[in-house]
């Protein structure tokens, strides 16, 4: 399945006879709605006038960084100067369209744990802001994943410290808002600091939301927008999850020396922020695709958070109520949801192989366990960037016979849940959803088909 392809009406699978293919069709509809080339043109400002001598500098970071840069290149006037640097995740640069001239450099780095390539990219991006004038325009392209990709540790922190802290946050069960609050206060580029470095140039930020609530200060840790969180907030989060930082950095957090630029700071005067794609828009596109196929579609929310397996169990309870009682919806129907759930890594006895998987797979395990083979209920959960965690799958598929097929192979679901091993569970069943990078990112996508 190629996630970016938009099926023609004649190619829409039949939900009853091809439930998996139909759910994949809804996923493709959601992803296509969030592709940068479909959403960028209306938000691009005019270039600086030749008389002003102003330059246009493009900077940015995120999983959609490559496709966002290519969209700007395709839409920007051919005779208007354009230059810059964007960093994206490894293997996330889309094929360059034939005839499209490259004017923005795109580099790759690691996600979700930062690496030296991301550090070098952040240093180069910050260097591009030096010497800008009021006549210059900065286009900042921001999408999910930018927090790891745009890493420039605060004074007193080394890359190894940021890597350790990042891993601890990812394994702690902290939500994205909490993780990014810490990242902002331990950075020289996040939390509005990149915008401050651009002064006095005008900054226009184009962003693709991957966070519940579409708060631009949380997306990629808000490098070009004001930050209302505080050093005290970051300290409380570090304490809550038992994450240690070097003593001198701790002291600077306690003194407020690592505070970020706040709302109302004149450094943000005249800046613009445009949300070019959101989770809600993608869920609405999937709902429209379901309705076009003759099925009622219901969007629960685009802001669902919580432990992935528990969210799966709640979705299962709702699906069973629909299947067995016709409440709160009548079948046949599709139930959709988005947001960003979390996975708390369970400690294992020494020598136990670590499980593989991400939020979508963990959701599917919790869902399958609670559904207990409920007839007529099918589901797909996948990350809209095409990568669930750090594996090669976008997510997984659940059918009424999932548990039975697994038991026939000697696999007990609770054992896989105990070690967070969604990949190991769904792979032998042939139920991993593999799309490759989609070149966008509007967070979790979940669809339940109830027949």
């Amino acid at each position: 399945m190629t996630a970016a392809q938009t099926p023609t009406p004649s190619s829409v699978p039949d939900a009853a006879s091809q439930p998996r293919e139909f759910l994949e069709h809804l996923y493709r509809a959601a992803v296509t709605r969030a592709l940068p080339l479909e959403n960028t043109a209306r938000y691009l400002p005019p270039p600086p006038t030749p008389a002003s001598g102003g330059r246009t500098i493009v900077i940015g970071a995120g999983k959609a960084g490559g496709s966002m840069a290519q969209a700007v290149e395709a839409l920007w006037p051919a005779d208007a100067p354009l230059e810059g640097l964007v960093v994206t995740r490894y293997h996330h640069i889309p094929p360059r369209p034939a005839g499209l001239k490259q004017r923005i450099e795109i580099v790759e780095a690691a996600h979700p744990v930062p690496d030296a390539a991301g550090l070098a990219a952040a240093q180069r991006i910050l260097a591009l802001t030096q010497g800008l004038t009021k006549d210059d325009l900065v286009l900042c392209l921001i999408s999910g994943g930018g927090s790891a990709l745009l890493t420039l540790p605060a004074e007193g922190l080394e890359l190894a410290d940021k890597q350790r802290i990042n891993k601890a946050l990812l394994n702690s069960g902290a939500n994205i808002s909490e993780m990014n609050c810490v990242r902002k206060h331990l950075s020289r580029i996040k939390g509005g600091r990149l915008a401050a470095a651009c002064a006095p140039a005008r900054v226009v930020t184009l962003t693709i939301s991957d966070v519940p609530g579409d708060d631009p200060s949380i997306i990629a840790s808000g490098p070009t927008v004001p930050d209302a969180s505080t050093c005290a907030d970051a300290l409380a989060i570090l304490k809550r999850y038992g994450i240690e930082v070097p003593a001198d950095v701790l002291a600077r957090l306690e003194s407020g020396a690592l505070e970020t630029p706040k709302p109302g700071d004149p450094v943000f005067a005249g800046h613009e922020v445009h949300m070019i794609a959101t989770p809600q828009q993608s869920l609405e596109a999937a709902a429209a695709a379901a309705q076009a196929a003759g099925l009622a579609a219901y969007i629960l929310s685009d802001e669902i958070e919580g432990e992935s397996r528990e969210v799966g169990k709640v979705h299962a309870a709702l699906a069973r109520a629909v299947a067995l009682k016709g409440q709160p919806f009548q079948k046949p129907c599709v139930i959709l949801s988005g947001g960003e759930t979390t996975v708390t890594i369970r400690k294992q006895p020494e020598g136990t192989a670590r499980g593989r998987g991400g939020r979508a797979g963990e959701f599917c395990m919790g869902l399958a366990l609670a559904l207990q083979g409920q007839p007529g209920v099918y589901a797909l959960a996948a990350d809209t960037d095409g990568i669930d965690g750090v594996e090669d799958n976008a997510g997984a598929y659940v059918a009424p016979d999932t548990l039975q097929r697994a038991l026939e192979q000697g696999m007990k679901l609770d054992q896989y849940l105990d070690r967070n091993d969604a990949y190991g569970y769904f792979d032998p069943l042939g139920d991993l959803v593999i799309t490759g990078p989609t070149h966008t990112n509007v967070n979790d996508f979940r669809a339940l088909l109830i027949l």
Side-chain angles (χ1 to χ4, degrees), residues 63 89 110-114 145 147-149 163 166-167 170 183 389-390:
K63 297 175 187 175
R89 186 176 181 169
H111 177 280
V113 178
S147 290
L149 296 165
Q163 290 171 328
N166 217 56
K167 287 178 182 177
L170 288 166
R183 288 162 164 166
V390 296

Side-chain angles (χ1 to χ4, degrees), residues 12 32 38 55 80 122 134 274 289 308 354 359 364 377 380 385 403 418:
V12 175
T32 299
E38 305 290 323
R55 299 183 298 154
K134 63 181 179 58
H274 300 289
S308 294
R354 183 172 179 173
R359 300 189 306 262
C364 286
V377 177
L380 182 149
D385 69 357
L403 294 180
D418 285 344

Side-chain angles (χ1 to χ4, degrees), residues 220-298:
S221 299
T224 59
V225 296
D227 175 37
S229 71
T230 65
C231 284
D233 295 329
L235 278 168
I237 293 163
L238 291 167
K239 181 178 180 181
R240 184 178 309 137
Y241 295 105
I243 299 171
E244 296 182 358
V245 296
D248 58 336
V249 175
L250 181 64
R252 295 175 70 209
L253 282 172
E254 290 173 339
S255 70
L258 294 179
E259 203 51 89
T260 49
K262 301 302 174 201
D265 192 309
V267 75
F268 300 108
H271 290 198
E272 297 177 21
V273 179
H274 300 289
M275 201 75 60
I276 70 169
T278 68
Q280 179 67 23
Q281 291 169 349
S282 285
L283 292 175
E284 289 172 356
Q291 291 161 356
L295 285 171
Y298 305 95

